[in-house]
Amino acid sequence: MIPESFSHVVLVTGYRSWNDEQSMRSAFNDAWRDWGAENVTRPVLISGHCPDGADAMAERLWRAAGFEIRTFAAAWSAHGKRAGFQRNQEMVDAAQVFREAGAQVLCTAFLGFCRKPGCPQRDQEQLMPHTPGHFSHGTIHCRSCARAAGIVTATVIHPSLPPF
């Protein structure tokens, strides 16, 4: 990938059932305020391109604003269950390339609880101590990869979940 001259990059990762547009808009607006709106000259969204939930909502909001989007769809048929995790790392790697080219980079993680029936990790705590259950696997994985890469990460927990 050839780094393009993006001023700011938002890597979005999130729950497939994410449906809270207000929280997503707030997270994006917070990023703009932190960066200084006058400094955001050419933003781009990096998305896993899931047709539902956080990815789809973020892409719709960015497209409506006239901003650019780079998508990284998971290759499920080629990589099976690991495809989502591989795609997550590819998105983080792309964000790092843009950061090395001078862009400001933010990962926004929109979390909801794992709803997978019979999930063997059901009783684990992933984000907050003493919180029953755990958050969606793909979102936590991408968030962890971004944090390990030194990418600033904003975590938004779905408002329907109990306060932490």
Side-chain angles (χ1 to χ4, degrees):
M1 178 188 320
I2 299 170
E4 299 179 45
S5 58
F6 293 113
S7 64
H8 294 77
V9 176
V10 173
L11 187 165
V12 66
T13 183
Y15 190 51
R16 287 183 186 170
S17 297
W18 187 269
N19 61 1
D20 184 26
E21 186 173 313
Q22 181 179 349
S23 291
M24 184 173 283
R25 285 180 180 276
S26 292
F28 293 157
N29 287 333
D30 288 347
W32 252 245
R33 267 191 299 284
D34 291 347
W35 286 332
E38 67 282 357
N39 298 320
V40 183
T41 57
R42 189 173 176 215
V44 66
L45 179 76
I46 294 177
S47 169
H49 201 51
C50 181
D52 302 307
D55 292 357
M57 183 180 290
E59 288 179 30
R60 181 176 49 78
L61 293 173
W62 279 65
R63 199 170 291 109
F67 298 142
E68 295 180 60
I69 302 167
R70 296 293 182 262
T71 59
F72 291 77
W76 298 108
S77 60
H79 302 291
K81 291 181 180 182
R82 300 279 317 144
F85 295 133
Q86 182 174 342
R87 180 262 332 269
N88 290 345
Q89 188 61 59
E90 290 170 3
M91 291 192 311
V92 169
D93 291 346
Q96 286 182 281
V97 169
F98 292 132
R99 184 176 59 184
E100 290 167 5
Q104 294 288 314
V105 177
L106 172 69
C107 172
T108 54
F110 296 93
L111 294 175
F113 277 135
C114 170
R115 305 263 189 240
K116 192 181 292 185
C119 178
Q121 298 176 20
R122 170 166 256 136
D123 296 326
Q124 292 184 8
E125 300 168 356
Q126 281 188 342
L127 193 60
M128 304 289 188
H130 312 296
T131 302
H134 62 283
F135 293 106
S136 54
H137 301 247
T139 306
I140 286 293
H141 175 262
C142 191
R143 177 183 177 273
S144 297
C145 289
R147 293 180 78 191
I151 295 173
V152 174
T153 304
T155 301
V156 181
I157 298 172
H158 197 280
S160 69
L161 299 177
F164 299 103

